[in-house]
Amino acid sequence: MYPENFAYFRPKTIAEASALLKKNKGARVLAGGHSLLPAMKLRLATPKALVDIGGIKGLCGIQMRGKTIWIGATTTHAEVASSAIVRKSCPMLAETAAQIGDLQVRNRGTIGGSIAHADPAADYPTALICLGATVVARGPKGERKIPAEKFFVDLFTTALKGGEIVTAVLVAPRGKGQGAAYVKHPHPASRYAVAGVAAAVEIEDGRIARASVVVGGVTASPVRAAAAEEALAGKKADPAAISAASSRLADSLPDPMGDLYASGEYRVHLAAVLAKRALTAAVERAKG
Ligand SMILES: Cc1cc2nc3c(=O)[nH]c(=O)nc-3n(C[C@H](O)[C@H](O)[C@H](O)COP(=O)(O)OP(=O)(O)OC[C@H]3O[C@@H](n4cnc5c(N)ncnc54)[C@H](O)[C@@H]3O)c2cc1C
């Protein structure tokens, strides 16, 4: 399959990229190309121009900046998975990246591309909302910081405005008494999440002081499992509390998606099973 003809630009700065997006109506950013190019070949996307951000310096890499982990938008999934900083300070995010697709996808796909694409079956959105991450975007009106929870608006829809480019993702390192885990049921061919659950807990004096549980793959964009979080608050961090919370997951998923691979009902069932596993791993980590 061949895509429709398009113009190709490879700017050297974000300002130049942003101006190209503004000038060329219907232009799209090109990062790893692992979601955009298949869509173009199927003619599901027919951009008139591609603005390749791969040559922009300062958009790639992972650094500790103050007390925050800074991950540049064009950092590949493989780089996140193998980063010593991420593995030490936020192992859950490295594990999430390691579960994406196959080796080829992880070596080409980028964190900025994944979140800008906002596929309901993608892994990063679920993990980043759970971790309370921030998305940094730059556009014609300057820089904006968007909480991950507000970034994913709907199916393949984000809070990005015209001409805005994701430049980085900011994540707080896990501290003492904190633990997080991401568990998914992968589609056997693509590895996309049929359902995926991210859980993070903070334990004080053996009790769960704070919990964050987010479900992906089941609805148009990831959903916070508020009832499960409430069920955990103040409880002893033990299997009984985790079971009770996991059984509340369906409360937050009243309208699950079904497709060729899995019915909505099955996805909700999966999510509860995965929540139990993710919470168990998060609690173990928090206990050190
Ligand atoms: C076979 C296969 C299996 C996969 N399995 C998984 C999986 O298991 N889990 C998973 O999460 N994903 C999976 N993916 C998707 C993969 O992670 C993609 O790499 C990712 O969704 C898109 O990232 P990209 O860098 O390739 O972006 P591109 O394909 O280049 O771009 C995707 C979209 O985002 C926009 N965009 C890209 N970068 C930016 C930016 N910085 N700012 C603004 N807009 C931007 C583009 O314009 C485009 O609309 C799979 C893909 C394939 C082909």
Side-chain angles (χ1 to χ4, degrees), residues 28-38 53 73 77 99-101 105 108-110 112-114 116-117 121-124 160 164-166 184 190-193:
R28 296 272 282 271
V29 170
L30 174 69
H34 265 52
S35 289
L36 183 56
L37 296 188
I53 57 171
H77 311 326
Q99 293 181 60
I100 296 176
V105 171
R108 290 294 309 170
T110 66
S114 174
H117 191 55
D123 299 299
Y124 274 135
L160 286 177
E164 275 188 330
I165 296 168
V166 174
K184 76 170 173 178
S190 70
R191 316 308 287 172
Y192 271 110

mmCIF file of all heavy atoms in Angstrom, residues 28-38 53 73 77 99-101 105 108-110 112-114 116-117 121-124 160 164-166 184 190-193, ligand 1:
data_model
loop_
_atom_site.group_PDB
_atom_site.id
_atom_site.type_symbol
_atom_site.label_atom_id
_atom_site.label_comp_id
_atom_site.label_asym_id
_atom_site.label_seq_id
_atom_site.Cartn_x
_atom_site.Cartn_y
_atom_site.Cartn_z
ATOM 1 N N ARG A 28 1.453 17.083 9.458
ATOM 2 C CA ARG A 28 1.530 16.306 10.709
ATOM 3 C C ARG A 28 2.988 16.152 11.113
ATOM 4 O O ARG A 28 3.887 16.074 10.264
ATOM 5 C CB ARG A 28 0.939 14.897 10.519
ATOM 6 C CG ARG A 28 -0.540 14.863 10.186
ATOM 7 C CD ARG A 28 -1.420 14.854 11.435
ATOM 8 N NE ARG A 28 -1.485 13.547 12.062
ATOM 9 C CZ ARG A 28 -2.388 12.608 11.751
ATOM 10 N NH1 ARG A 28 -3.275 12.830 10.804
ATOM 11 N NH2 ARG A 28 -2.397 11.464 12.387
ATOM 12 N N VAL A 29 3.198 16.059 12.429
ATOM 13 C CA VAL A 29 4.533 15.763 12.956
ATOM 14 C C VAL A 29 4.857 14.306 12.629
ATOM 15 O O VAL A 29 3.990 13.436 12.724
ATOM 16 C CB VAL A 29 4.552 15.964 14.490
ATOM 17 C CG1 VAL A 29 5.840 15.434 15.097
ATOM 18 C CG2 VAL A 29 4.358 17.431 14.835
ATOM 19 N N LEU A 30 6.098 14.044 12.269
ATOM 20 C CA LEU A 30 6.574 12.662 12.112
ATOM 21 C C LEU A 30 7.643 12.417 13.173
ATOM 22 O O LEU A 30 8.628 13.141 13.246
ATOM 23 C CB LEU A 30 7.168 12.455 10.712
ATOM 24 C CG LEU A 30 7.818 11.084 10.480
ATOM 25 C CD1 LEU A 30 6.781 9.974 10.456
ATOM 26 C CD2 LEU A 30 8.607 11.069 9.167
ATOM 27 N N ALA A 31 7.422 11.387 13.999
ATOM 28 C CA ALA A 31 8.439 11.023 15.007
ATOM 29 C C ALA A 31 8.988 9.652 14.618
ATOM 30 O O ALA A 31 9.734 9.534 13.651
ATOM 31 C CB ALA A 31 7.828 11.053 16.397
ATOM 32 N N GLY A 32 8.590 8.592 15.302
ATOM 33 C CA GLY A 32 9.075 7.248 14.950
ATOM 34 C C GLY A 32 8.376 6.673 13.728
ATOM 35 O O GLY A 32 8.850 5.719 13.111
ATOM 36 N N GLY A 33 7.218 7.221 13.401
ATOM 37 C CA GLY A 33 6.466 6.783 12.223
ATOM 38 C C GLY A 33 5.737 5.460 12.403
ATOM 39 O O GLY A 33 5.101 4.981 11.474
ATOM 40 N N HIS A 34 5.794 4.882 13.603
ATOM 41 C CA HIS A 34 5.229 3.545 13.769
ATOM 42 C C HIS A 34 3.725 3.502 13.971
ATOM 43 O O HIS A 34 3.129 2.422 13.972
ATOM 44 C CB HIS A 34 5.959 2.789 14.890
ATOM 45 C CG HIS A 34 7.047 1.932 14.320
ATOM 46 N ND1 HIS A 34 8.004 2.428 13.475
ATOM 47 C CD2 HIS A 34 7.300 0.610 14.429
ATOM 48 C CE1 HIS A 34 8.809 1.462 13.100
ATOM 49 N NE2 HIS A 34 8.405 0.342 13.662
ATOM 50 N N SER A 35 3.112 4.646 14.129
ATOM 51 C CA SER A 35 1.646 4.707 14.093
ATOM 52 C C SER A 35 1.199 5.495 12.875
ATOM 53 O O SER A 35 0.242 5.125 12.197
ATOM 54 C CB SER A 35 1.096 5.367 15.372
ATOM 55 O OG SER A 35 1.269 4.504 16.461
ATOM 56 N N LEU A 36 1.923 6.578 12.583
ATOM 57 C CA LEU A 36 1.502 7.456 11.489
ATOM 58 C C LEU A 36 1.673 6.787 10.112
ATOM 59 O O LEU A 36 0.762 6.842 9.277
ATOM 60 C CB LEU A 36 2.302 8.772 11.551
ATOM 61 C CG LEU A 36 1.925 9.833 10.510
ATOM 62 C CD1 LEU A 36 0.437 10.170 10.579
ATOM 63 C CD2 LEU A 36 2.757 11.103 10.716
ATOM 64 N N LEU A 37 2.818 6.153 9.871
ATOM 65 C CA LEU A 37 3.045 5.598 8.530
ATOM 66 C C LEU A 37 2.071 4.461 8.184
ATOM 67 O O LEU A 37 1.532 4.448 7.068
ATOM 68 C CB LEU A 37 4.506 5.163 8.357
ATOM 69 C CG LEU A 37 5.529 6.318 8.424
ATOM 70 C CD1 LEU A 37 6.924 5.821 8.051
ATOM 71 C CD2 LEU A 37 5.154 7.477 7.524
ATOM 72 N N PRO A 38 1.802 3.521 9.117
ATOM 73 C CA PRO A 38 0.781 2.508 8.778
ATOM 74 C C PRO A 38 -0.574 3.152 8.465
ATOM 75 O O PRO A 38 -1.262 2.731 7.535
ATOM 76 C CB PRO A 38 0.692 1.640 10.046
ATOM 77 C CG PRO A 38 1.977 1.862 10.761
ATOM 78 C CD PRO A 38 2.434 3.247 10.414
ATOM 79 N N ILE A 53 10.521 15.527 13.196
ATOM 80 C CA ILE A 53 11.183 16.208 14.328
ATOM 81 C C ILE A 53 12.429 15.450 14.795
ATOM 82 O O ILE A 53 13.042 15.818 15.790
ATOM 83 C CB ILE A 53 10.206 16.437 15.508
ATOM 84 C CG1 ILE A 53 9.603 15.109 15.987
ATOM 85 C CG2 ILE A 53 9.122 17.441 15.116
ATOM 86 C CD1 ILE A 53 8.812 15.242 17.288
ATOM 87 N N ALA A 73 10.819 14.189 24.012
ATOM 88 C CA ALA A 73 9.717 13.606 23.231
ATOM 89 C C ALA A 73 10.172 12.538 22.245
ATOM 90 O O ALA A 73 9.451 11.579 21.994
ATOM 91 C CB ALA A 73 8.981 14.712 22.483
ATOM 92 N N HIS A 77 11.111 4.068 22.969
ATOM 93 C CA HIS A 77 10.649 3.157 24.030
ATOM 94 C C HIS A 77 11.842 2.334 24.550
ATOM 95 O O HIS A 77 11.963 2.090 25.746
ATOM 96 C CB HIS A 77 9.577 2.204 23.499
ATOM 97 C CG HIS A 77 8.476 2.887 22.731
ATOM 98 N ND1 HIS A 77 8.020 4.146 23.042
ATOM 99 C CD2 HIS A 77 7.741 2.470 21.665
ATOM 100 C CE1 HIS A 77 7.054 4.476 22.184
ATOM 101 N NE2 HIS A 77 6.867 3.480 21.354
ATOM 102 N N GLN A 99 7.367 -3.324 27.624
ATOM 103 C CA GLN A 99 6.247 -4.178 27.201
ATOM 104 C C GLN A 99 5.600 -3.708 25.901
ATOM 105 O O GLN A 99 4.659 -4.315 25.408
ATOM 106 C CB GLN A 99 5.173 -4.213 28.292
ATOM 107 C CG GLN A 99 5.615 -4.912 29.569
ATOM 108 C CD GLN A 99 4.499 -4.931 30.604
ATOM 109 O OE1 GLN A 99 3.423 -5.478 30.380
ATOM 110 N NE2 GLN A 99 4.739 -4.325 31.756
ATOM 111 N N ILE A 100 6.076 -2.601 25.357
ATOM 112 C CA ILE A 100 5.459 -2.061 24.130
ATOM 113 C C ILE A 100 5.939 -2.852 22.899
ATOM 114 O O ILE A 100 7.140 -3.014 22.685
ATOM 115 C CB ILE A 100 5.818 -0.569 23.943
ATOM 116 C CG1 ILE A 100 5.226 0.272 25.086
ATOM 117 C CG2 ILE A 100 5.333 -0.061 22.588
ATOM 118 C CD1 ILE A 100 5.611 1.738 25.053
ATOM 119 N N GLY A 101 4.989 -3.327 22.114
ATOM 120 C CA GLY A 101 5.276 -3.937 20.811
ATOM 121 C C GLY A 101 6.410 -4.945 20.825
ATOM 122 O O GLY A 101 6.574 -5.729 21.757
ATOM 123 N N VAL A 105 9.556 -2.009 17.037
ATOM 124 C CA VAL A 105 8.670 -0.916 17.471
ATOM 125 C C VAL A 105 9.339 -0.117 18.583
ATOM 126 O O VAL A 105 9.344 1.120 18.579
ATOM 127 C CB VAL A 105 7.308 -1.486 17.963
ATOM 128 C CG1 VAL A 105 6.462 -0.397 18.616
ATOM 129 C CG2 VAL A 105 6.557 -2.136 16.819
ATOM 130 N N ARG A 108 12.085 2.264 17.308
ATOM 131 C CA ARG A 108 11.684 3.392 16.448
ATOM 132 C C ARG A 108 10.653 4.291 17.138
ATOM 133 O O ARG A 108 10.698 5.502 16.989
ATOM 134 C CB ARG A 108 11.058 2.874 15.140
ATOM 135 C CG ARG A 108 12.000 2.212 14.181
ATOM 136 C CD ARG A 108 13.033 3.137 13.580
ATOM 137 N NE ARG A 108 12.445 4.358 13.008
ATOM 138 C CZ ARG A 108 13.145 5.399 12.597
ATOM 139 N NH1 ARG A 108 14.448 5.395 12.704
ATOM 140 N NH2 ARG A 108 12.543 6.453 12.092
ATOM 141 N N GLY A 109 9.712 3.694 17.832
ATOM 142 C CA GLY A 109 8.610 4.452 18.442
ATOM 143 C C GLY A 109 9.114 5.349 19.558
ATOM 144 O O GLY A 109 10.053 5.010 20.270
ATOM 145 N N THR A 110 8.477 6.518 19.706
ATOM 146 C CA THR A 110 8.920 7.501 20.699
ATOM 147 C C THR A 110 7.821 7.761 21.730
ATOM 148 O O THR A 110 6.635 7.578 21.449
ATOM 149 C CB THR A 110 9.263 8.830 20.017
ATOM 150 O OG1 THR A 110 8.049 9.397 19.472
ATOM 151 C CG2 THR A 110 10.274 8.646 18.880
ATOM 152 N N GLY A 112 6.909 10.683 22.855
ATOM 153 C CA GLY A 112 6.077 11.811 22.401
ATOM 154 C C GLY A 112 5.063 11.363 21.365
ATOM 155 O O GLY A 112 3.898 11.769 21.394
ATOM 156 N N GLY A 113 5.512 10.496 20.442
ATOM 157 C CA GLY A 113 4.616 10.000 19.400
ATOM 158 C C GLY A 113 3.506 9.143 19.976
ATOM 159 O O GLY A 113 2.348 9.244 19.574
ATOM 160 N N SER A 114 3.865 8.316 20.939
ATOM 161 C CA SER A 114 2.867 7.433 21.538
ATOM 162 C C SER A 114 1.767 8.244 22.230
ATOM 163 O O SER A 114 0.583 7.987 22.032
ATOM 164 C CB SER A 114 3.533 6.485 22.537
ATOM 165 O OG SER A 114 2.544 5.754 23.203
ATOM 166 N N ALA A 116 1.032 11.479 21.802
ATOM 167 C CA ALA A 116 0.312 12.371 20.885
ATOM 168 C C ALA A 116 -0.706 11.579 20.061
ATOM 169 O O ALA A 116 -1.757 12.096 19.698
ATOM 170 C CB ALA A 116 1.291 13.078 19.962
ATOM 171 N N HIS A 117 -0.398 10.322 19.799
ATOM 172 C CA HIS A 117 -1.301 9.469 19.013
ATOM 173 C C HIS A 117 -2.538 9.078 19.837
ATOM 174 O O HIS A 117 -3.630 8.959 19.302
ATOM 175 C CB HIS A 117 -0.529 8.231 18.556
ATOM 176 C CG HIS A 117 -1.234 7.407 17.545
ATOM 177 N ND1 HIS A 117 -1.700 7.919 16.354
ATOM 178 C CD2 HIS A 117 -1.577 6.083 17.539
ATOM 179 C CE1 HIS A 117 -2.291 6.963 15.670
ATOM 180 N NE2 HIS A 117 -2.234 5.846 16.367
ATOM 181 N N ALA A 121 -5.392 1.638 23.125
ATOM 182 C CA ALA A 121 -4.711 0.409 23.547
ATOM 183 C C ALA A 121 -3.232 0.640 23.853
ATOM 184 O O ALA A 121 -2.490 -0.313 24.065
ATOM 185 C CB ALA A 121 -4.853 -0.655 22.465
ATOM 186 N N ALA A 122 -2.790 1.900 23.860
ATOM 187 C CA ALA A 122 -1.379 2.194 24.126
ATOM 188 C C ALA A 122 -1.080 2.065 25.623
ATOM 189 O O ALA A 122 -1.978 2.164 26.458
ATOM 190 C CB ALA A 122 -1.038 3.591 23.642
ATOM 191 N N ASP A 123 0.196 1.880 25.926
ATOM 192 C CA ASP A 123 0.594 1.624 27.318
ATOM 193 C C ASP A 123 0.985 2.885 28.098
ATOM 194 O O ASP A 123 0.630 3.030 29.269
ATOM 195 C CB ASP A 123 1.764 0.634 27.331
ATOM 196 C CG ASP A 123 1.372 -0.694 26.714
ATOM 197 O OD1 ASP A 123 0.455 -1.340 27.248
ATOM 198 O OD2 ASP A 123 1.938 -1.073 25.683
ATOM 199 N N TYR A 124 1.757 3.773 27.457
ATOM 200 C CA TYR A 124 2.233 4.955 28.200
ATOM 201 C C TYR A 124 1.101 5.799 28.814
ATOM 202 O O TYR A 124 1.235 6.261 29.951
ATOM 203 C CB TYR A 124 3.044 5.873 27.279
ATOM 204 C CG TYR A 124 4.512 5.538 27.137
ATOM 205 C CD1 TYR A 124 5.099 5.532 25.888
ATOM 206 C CD2 TYR A 124 5.324 5.291 28.237
ATOM 207 C CE1 TYR A 124 6.456 5.259 25.727
ATOM 208 C CE2 TYR A 124 6.677 5.020 28.084
ATOM 209 C CZ TYR A 124 7.234 5.009 26.826
ATOM 210 O OH TYR A 124 8.570 4.757 26.670
ATOM 211 N N LEU A 160 -3.602 18.724 22.838
ATOM 212 C CA LEU A 160 -2.705 19.544 22.012
ATOM 213 C C LEU A 160 -3.519 20.464 21.103
ATOM 214 O O LEU A 160 -4.527 20.040 20.529
ATOM 215 C CB LEU A 160 -1.820 18.650 21.129
ATOM 216 C CG LEU A 160 -0.670 17.908 21.806
ATOM 217 C CD1 LEU A 160 0.042 17.015 20.799
ATOM 218 C CD2 LEU A 160 0.316 18.869 22.465
ATOM 219 N N GLU A 164 1.048 22.778 18.074
ATOM 220 C CA GLU A 164 1.783 22.393 19.290
ATOM 221 C C GLU A 164 2.490 21.052 19.098
ATOM 222 O O GLU A 164 1.942 20.118 18.517
ATOM 223 C CB GLU A 164 0.835 22.298 20.489
ATOM 224 C CG GLU A 164 0.613 23.646 21.150
ATOM 225 C CD GLU A 164 -0.175 23.525 22.448
ATOM 226 O OE1 GLU A 164 -1.005 22.596 22.581
ATOM 227 O OE2 GLU A 164 0.032 24.377 23.325
ATOM 228 N N ILE A 165 3.689 20.991 19.660
ATOM 229 C CA ILE A 165 4.509 19.776 19.584
ATOM 230 C C ILE A 165 4.836 19.348 21.008
ATOM 231 O O ILE A 165 5.204 20.189 21.839
ATOM 232 C CB ILE A 165 5.819 20.080 18.813
ATOM 233 C CG1 ILE A 165 5.487 20.458 17.370
ATOM 234 C CG2 ILE A 165 6.787 18.904 18.868
ATOM 235 C CD1 ILE A 165 6.657 21.038 16.613
ATOM 236 N N VAL A 166 4.700 18.065 21.285
ATOM 237 C CA VAL A 166 5.141 17.560 22.596
ATOM 238 C C VAL A 166 6.661 17.632 22.608
ATOM 239 O O VAL A 166 7.317 17.136 21.688
ATOM 240 C CB VAL A 166 4.682 16.098 22.817
ATOM 241 C CG1 VAL A 166 5.268 15.553 24.122
ATOM 242 C CG2 VAL A 166 3.172 15.990 22.816
ATOM 243 N N LYS A 184 -0.270 -5.655 31.890
ATOM 244 C CA LYS A 184 -1.248 -5.653 30.795
ATOM 245 C C LYS A 184 -1.500 -7.054 30.268
ATOM 246 O O LYS A 184 -0.691 -7.969 30.489
ATOM 247 C CB LYS A 184 -0.776 -4.750 29.668
ATOM 248 C CG LYS A 184 0.342 -5.309 28.793
ATOM 249 C CD LYS A 184 0.530 -4.396 27.566
ATOM 250 C CE LYS A 184 1.713 -4.782 26.737
ATOM 251 N NZ LYS A 184 1.904 -3.967 25.540
ATOM 252 N N SER A 190 0.095 -7.982 18.118
ATOM 253 C CA SER A 190 0.682 -6.628 18.132
ATOM 254 C C SER A 190 1.322 -6.277 19.463
ATOM 255 O O SER A 190 2.165 -5.395 19.527
ATOM 256 C CB SER A 190 -0.413 -5.600 17.845
ATOM 257 O OG SER A 190 -1.308 -5.521 18.951
ATOM 258 N N ARG A 191 0.895 -6.897 20.518
ATOM 259 C CA ARG A 191 1.285 -6.603 21.912
ATOM 260 C C ARG A 191 0.581 -5.372 22.480
ATOM 261 O O ARG A 191 0.834 -4.976 23.620
ATOM 262 C CB ARG A 191 2.799 -6.459 22.129
ATOM 263 C CG ARG A 191 3.671 -7.476 21.453
ATOM 264 C CD ARG A 191 3.296 -8.897 21.715
ATOM 265 N NE ARG A 191 3.620 -9.362 23.055
ATOM 266 C CZ ARG A 191 3.237 -10.537 23.551
ATOM 267 N NH1 ARG A 191 2.531 -11.358 22.805
ATOM 268 N NH2 ARG A 191 3.560 -10.896 24.764
ATOM 269 N N TYR A 192 -0.250 -4.706 21.683
ATOM 270 C CA TYR A 192 -1.062 -3.607 22.243
ATOM 271 C C TYR A 192 -1.875 -4.163 23.416
ATOM 272 O O TYR A 192 -2.184 -5.357 23.451
ATOM 273 C CB TYR A 192 -2.050 -3.096 21.190
ATOM 274 C CG TYR A 192 -1.519 -1.989 20.309
ATOM 275 C CD1 TYR A 192 -1.234 -2.226 18.965
ATOM 276 C CD2 TYR A 192 -1.331 -0.704 20.788
ATOM 277 C CE1 TYR A 192 -0.765 -1.209 18.137
ATOM 278 C CE2 TYR A 192 -0.868 0.314 19.966
ATOM 279 C CZ TYR A 192 -0.588 0.057 18.650
ATOM 280 O OH TYR A 192 -0.123 1.065 17.848
ATOM 281 N N ALA A 193 -2.246 -3.285 24.351
ATOM 282 C CA ALA A 193 -2.981 -3.736 25.532
ATOM 283 C C ALA A 193 -4.452 -4.018 25.205
ATOM 284 O O ALA A 193 -5.177 -3.112 24.795
ATOM 285 C CB ALA A 193 -2.895 -2.672 26.619
HETATM 286 C C1 LIG B 1 3.318 -3.631 15.235
HETATM 287 C C2 LIG B 1 3.137 -2.545 16.246
HETATM 288 C C3 LIG B 1 2.938 -2.887 17.560
HETATM 289 C C4 LIG B 1 2.742 -1.900 18.523
HETATM 290 N N1 LIG B 1 2.515 -2.272 19.822
HETATM 291 C C5 LIG B 1 2.324 -1.316 20.752
HETATM 292 C C6 LIG B 1 2.111 -1.682 22.107
HETATM 293 O O1 LIG B 1 2.135 -2.842 22.507
HETATM 294 N N2 LIG B 1 1.889 -0.660 22.994
HETATM 295 C C7 LIG B 1 1.885 0.657 22.625
HETATM 296 O O2 LIG B 1 1.693 1.522 23.475
HETATM 297 N N3 LIG B 1 2.113 1.014 21.352
HETATM 298 C C8 LIG B 1 2.338 0.073 20.413
HETATM 299 N N4 LIG B 1 2.590 0.440 19.117
HETATM 300 C C9 LIG B 1 2.630 1.872 18.774
HETATM 301 C C10 LIG B 1 4.045 2.407 18.919
HETATM 302 O O3 LIG B 1 4.339 2.549 20.300
HETATM 303 C C11 LIG B 1 4.231 3.746 18.212
HETATM 304 O O4 LIG B 1 5.595 3.965 18.178
HETATM 305 C C12 LIG B 1 3.578 4.935 18.851
HETATM 306 O O5 LIG B 1 2.200 4.804 19.003
HETATM 307 C C13 LIG B 1 3.763 6.184 17.997
HETATM 308 O O6 LIG B 1 5.024 6.706 18.218
HETATM 309 P P1 LIG B 1 5.896 7.189 17.006
HETATM 310 O O7 LIG B 1 7.078 7.870 17.577
HETATM 311 O O8 LIG B 1 6.126 6.059 16.102
HETATM 312 O O9 LIG B 1 4.939 8.326 16.357
HETATM 313 P P2 LIG B 1 4.479 8.593 14.876
HETATM 314 O O10 LIG B 1 3.898 7.370 14.268
HETATM 315 O O11 LIG B 1 5.553 9.292 14.123
HETATM 316 O O12 LIG B 1 3.332 9.650 15.167
HETATM 317 C C14 LIG B 1 2.103 9.251 15.763
HETATM 318 C C15 LIG B 1 1.187 10.486 15.864
HETATM 319 O O13 LIG B 1 1.669 11.389 16.834
HETATM 320 C C16 LIG B 1 2.013 12.666 16.240
HETATM 321 N N5 LIG B 1 3.267 13.053 16.893
HETATM 322 C C17 LIG B 1 4.400 12.332 16.972
HETATM 323 N N6 LIG B 1 5.303 12.937 17.768
HETATM 324 C C18 LIG B 1 4.719 14.083 18.184
HETATM 325 C C19 LIG B 1 5.148 15.142 19.041
HETATM 326 N N7 LIG B 1 6.333 15.143 19.651
HETATM 327 N N8 LIG B 1 4.290 16.180 19.253
HETATM 328 C C20 LIG B 1 3.068 16.187 18.659
HETATM 329 N N9 LIG B 1 2.601 15.220 17.845
HETATM 330 C C21 LIG B 1 3.419 14.176 17.622
HETATM 331 C C22 LIG B 1 2.102 12.389 14.748
HETATM 332 O O14 LIG B 1 1.797 13.535 13.989
HETATM 333 C C23 LIG B 1 1.077 11.294 14.581
HETATM 334 O O15 LIG B 1 -0.206 11.859 14.505
HETATM 335 C C24 LIG B 1 2.780 -0.532 18.141
HETATM 336 C C25 LIG B 1 3.009 -0.171 16.803
HETATM 337 C C26 LIG B 1 3.189 -1.165 15.858
HETATM 338 C C27 LIG B 1 3.456 -0.770 14.435
#
